[in-house]
C-alpha cells in the first residue's frame, strides 16, 4: 500500500536527550514536510525539502535538525536545544508544484519528561 | 501579521445548517489554497483545494477564493454531526525555488444533532 509511515506512534524521552522521528513515503513524492502541533493549535512548519540533499528551515526550526539522503526518507531529530519538545509531530509529502496536495502520516506523539 | 489566519471558533451549527469557515492570508504571491479536516488525535485529511478565483464545489463542500481580498472560505451544506472536527486552511507559496505549505491555527466546528 502506498502512503507515509511515521514511527513510532508514541515516544517518551528524558529531558536533555536527542530523539529522531522517522518518516518514510513510497508515493514517489519529491517534497516532504515536518510540522509540529500543540494542543488547540494549528500546524507549524519546522523543515521542508523539495529534493534529495536539500532542505529549508520553516518557521520554528530552532532546536530541530533534518536530513534528506534518500527521496523516500526525511527523518527529524529533536535536539536537547529544543526548549519545549513535547508535541504531536506530523510528516507530510507531496508532488512539487503549486496545485498538489500534501498527504500526512499518522503522526508521532512525543513526550519529554 | 500571521501568514494564514482563521477564526479559532468554536463554531457551532445545528444539523442540516450551512457552516461557513473563513481564512485570510498575507502573501499576495500565494498560489494555491487547501482545506483539511482533522479529527481529534488524528492527522489532517484533504477536503479540497482551489487555485483560481471563484467557487469550486465538491458534494456538500464549496471552496471560495478571492485573491484580491486575500480571502478563502469553505462552506459545508447540510452539516452532519460527523463533520464535527477542526478545519485547517493551508496556503502554498513559492519562495525562490521551493514551495512552502503554511497552515492556519484551524477552526473547531461542532455540529449539534
Amino acid at each position: 500500500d502506498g502512503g507515509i509511515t511515521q514511527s513510532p506512534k508514541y515516544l517518551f524521552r528524558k529531558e536533555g536527550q536527542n530523539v529522531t522521528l522517522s518518516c518514510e513515503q513510497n508515493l514517489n513524492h519529491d517534497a516532504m514536510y515536518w510540522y509540529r502541533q500543540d494542543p488547540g493549535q494549528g500546524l507549524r512548519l519546522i523543515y521542508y525539502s523539495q529534493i534529495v540533499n536539500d532542505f529549508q528551515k520553516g518557521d520554528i526550526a530552532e532546536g530541530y535538525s533534518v536530513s534528506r539522503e534518500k527521496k523516500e526518507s526525511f527523518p527529524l531529530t529533536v535536539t536537547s536545544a529544543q526548549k519545549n519538545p513535547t508535541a504531536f509531530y506530523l510528516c507530510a509529502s507531496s508532488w512539487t508544484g503549486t496545485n498538489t496536495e500534501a498527504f500526512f502520516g499518522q503522526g508521532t506523539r512525543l513526550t519529554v519528561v | 501579521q500571521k501568514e494564514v489566519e482563521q477564526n479559532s471558533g468554536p463554531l457551532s451549527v445545528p444539523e442540516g445548517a450551512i457552516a461557513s469557515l473563513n481564512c485570510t492570508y498575507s502573501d499576495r504571491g500565494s498560489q494555491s489554497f487547501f482545506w483539511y479536516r482533522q479529527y481529534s488525535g488524528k492527522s489532517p485529511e484533504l477536503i479540497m483545494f482551489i487555485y483560481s478565483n471563484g467557487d469550486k464545489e465538491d458534494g456538500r463542500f464549496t471552496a471560495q477564493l478571492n485573491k484580491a481580498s486575500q480571502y478563502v472560505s469553505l462552506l459545508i451544506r447540510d452539516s452532519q454531526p460527523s463533520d464535527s472536527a477542526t478545519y485547517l486552511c493551508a496556503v502554498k507559496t513559492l519562495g525562490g525555488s521551493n514551495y512552502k505549505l503554511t497552515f492556519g491555527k484551524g477552526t473547531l466546528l461542532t455540529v449539534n444533532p
Side-chain angles (χ1 to χ4, degrees):
Chain A
D1 290 336
I4 303 171
T5 301
Q6 289 187 245
S7 61
K9 189 173 182 180
Y10 298 97
L11 188 56
F12 295 87
R13 279 295 182 268
K14 290 185 178 180
E15 190 172 341
Q17 290 182 333
N18 291 354
V19 60
T20 297
L21 281 57
S22 172
C23 179
E24 304 275 335
Q25 54 98 1
N26 60 5
L27 300 168
N28 202 31
H29 286 165
D30 297 300
M32 297 188 74
Y33 309 82
W34 272 107
Y35 294 91
R36 167 183 173 141
Q37 188 173 37
D38 294 284
Q41 300 295 311
L43 278 60
R44 291 188 289 168
L45 183 62
I46 305 173
Y47 271 97
Y48 57 112
S49 169
Q50 305 290 314
I51 58 173
V52 172
N53 293 324
D54 187 46
F55 46 82
Q56 291 72 44
K57 292 182 179 180
D59 301 314
I60 57 164
E62 185 175 352
Y64 299 97
S65 65
V66 293
S67 63
R68 187 85 186 274
E69 297 177 0
K70 299 186 300 181
K71 187 176 184 178
E72 304 79 22
S73 178
F74 192 40
L76 174 74
T77 296
V78 184
T79 76
S80 57
Q82 169 50 235
K83 297 304 179 187
N84 187 18
T86 295
F88 187 44
Y89 290 88
L90 286 158
C91 178
S93 72
S94 74
W95 298 107
T96 53
T98 55
N99 306 324
T100 56
E101 66 184 276
F103 295 87
F104 284 84
Q106 290 193 317
T108 293
R109 194 167 299 277
L110 172 65
T111 302
V112 175
V113 296
Chain B
Q1 182 184 7
K2 293 191 182 298
E3 294 183 48
V4 182
E5 294 204 55
Q6 298 180 249
N7 290 329
S8 60
L11 174 64
S12 183
V13 300
E15 185 175 355
I18 296 175
S20 178
L21 303 158
N22 304 316
C23 173
T24 58
Y25 59 95
S26 60
D27 189 337
R28 284 195 173 275
S30 298
Q31 299 177 312
S32 50
F33 309 86
F34 304 81
W35 283 100
Y36 284 82
R37 177 174 61 197
Q38 186 179 28
Y39 294 110
S40 181
K42 303 296 185 183
S43 57
E45 54 185 3
L46 183 76
I47 299 173
M48 61 192 307
F49 70 87
I50 187 168
Y51 54 88
S52 298
N53 276 329
D55 296 358
K56 180 180 179 182
E57 187 174 319
D58 184 1
R60 296 186 296 113
F61 301 95
T62 299
Q64 300 174 316
L65 175 61
N66 183 326
K67 289 188 176 181
S69 300
Q70 295 175 243
Y71 174 90
V72 59
S73 66
L74 179 71
L75 299 177
I76 306 174
R77 290 182 299 280
D78 188 24
S79 295
Q80 301 296 309
S82 58
D83 294 326
S84 298
T86 296
Y87 288 80
L88 298 162
C89 172
V91 174
K92 188 173 274 192
T93 306
L94 181 61
S97 59
N98 299 296
Y99 290 97
K100 183 179 180 183
L101 183 63
T102 304
F103 284 77
K105 287 190 173 182
T107 298
L108 178 61
L109 172 67
T110 300
V111 180
N112 301 305

